Amino acid sequence: MRRKEFPFFVLILIGLLLISKSHLGYSFGDSIFRAIGLAPWTNAEYESGVHFPVIVGLIVILVGYLGAVKFYQVRFPKVRSRIILSCIAFVFLFPFLTEKAMILLKYNSVSVSSVAFSRNNSHCNYRSEEAKVIANCSVTLLNYGKEKDVTIRLFLIRRTSKVHLILRLISVRNLTACW
C-alpha cells in the first residue's frame, strides 16, 4: 500500500467511528465530541436537532470513499462494492465489539467505573391519575467487572414541581466473557 492510499482508509474508519452506535445505545461520535468539549447536538439539553457527529462522519466517509476508489478502481474493479459492504458490516458489528471490549478491559475491576447505564434496554412509561403522574421505569445497568453494590440517585432534568421518587427494584446485569 502506498502512502497516498492509506489516509483514505483511515478517513473511512474515522467516519465510521463517528456514526456508529455502541452497545449502550449512544453514538461513539457523541463521546468523542464531548471529550473534546463540543456538544454533539444543536439542542444539547434535549439531545435533538442537528447531530454533528453524523454529519461530520458522513462527510469524512465520503471523502475517504472517493479517494480510495480513485486510487484502487484501476487495480481492483470491485473496490466500490467491497468498501460499501465493509462499512455496513462495521456498523452492524460495532455494538457487539464494544461490548466485548468493555468486558475485557474491565473484567477484574471492582470500582463503580465497571458499571454502565444502557440506554438501549431502559425506558419509562408515564400515566396520570388525578393530580399524580405515575412513572414506571426500567433501568438497565451493565456490570463489566466485579462490583457488588451500586447506589442510584434518580433525578429529573426538567422538574416543574416537587417530585417524590419511590425506588422499587434495581438489578445489575453481570456480563461475562462468553463469546
Side-chain angles (χ1 to χ4, degrees), residues 93-158:
L93 290 175
F94 189 73
F96 174 76
L97 295 174
T98 57
E99 180 179 14
K100 297 307 177 190
M102 292 296 286
I103 292 170
L104 288 174
L105 290 172
K106 298 187 178 199
Y107 183 70
N108 286 322
S109 177
V110 289
S111 68
V112 73
S113 67
S114 69
V115 178
F117 166 72
S118 174
R119 183 183 290 179
N120 277 348
N121 301 324
S122 301
H123 64 278
C124 280
N125 298 318
Y126 302 95
R127 71 177 189 277
S128 62
E129 290 181 1
E130 298 174 11
K132 291 196 250 179
V133 175
I134 298 174
N136 182 12
C137 298
S138 172
V139 177
T140 303
L141 300 175
L142 303 175
N143 187 6
Y144 302 109
K146 297 183 175 161
E147 183 65 34
K148 301 284 185 214
D149 299 315
V150 177
T151 302
I152 298 175
R153 185 180 64 188
L154 302 172
F155 66 94
L156 299 175
I157 296 173
R158 297 173 293 239

Side-chain angles (χ1 to χ4, degrees), residues 1-61:
M1 198 178 297
R2 293 186 295 187
R3 289 182 172 228
K4 294 179 187 176
E5 301 158 354
F6 183 71
F8 293 113
F9 288 109
V10 172
L11 285 175
I12 292 172
L13 181 62
I14 290 170
L16 287 170
L17 286 173
L18 287 171
I19 68 169
S20 298
K21 286 191 172 223
S22 73
H23 67 289
L24 297 173
Y26 60 86
S27 168
F28 190 67
D30 289 359
S31 300
I32 294 171
F33 269 56
R34 286 187 184 106
I36 60 175
L38 298 173
W41 294 89
T42 52
N43 189 350
E45 183 181 355
Y46 300 107
E47 288 191 354
S48 64
V50 177
H51 195 211
F52 295 126
V54 171
I55 292 172
V56 171
L58 290 175
I59 291 170
V60 170
I61 289 171

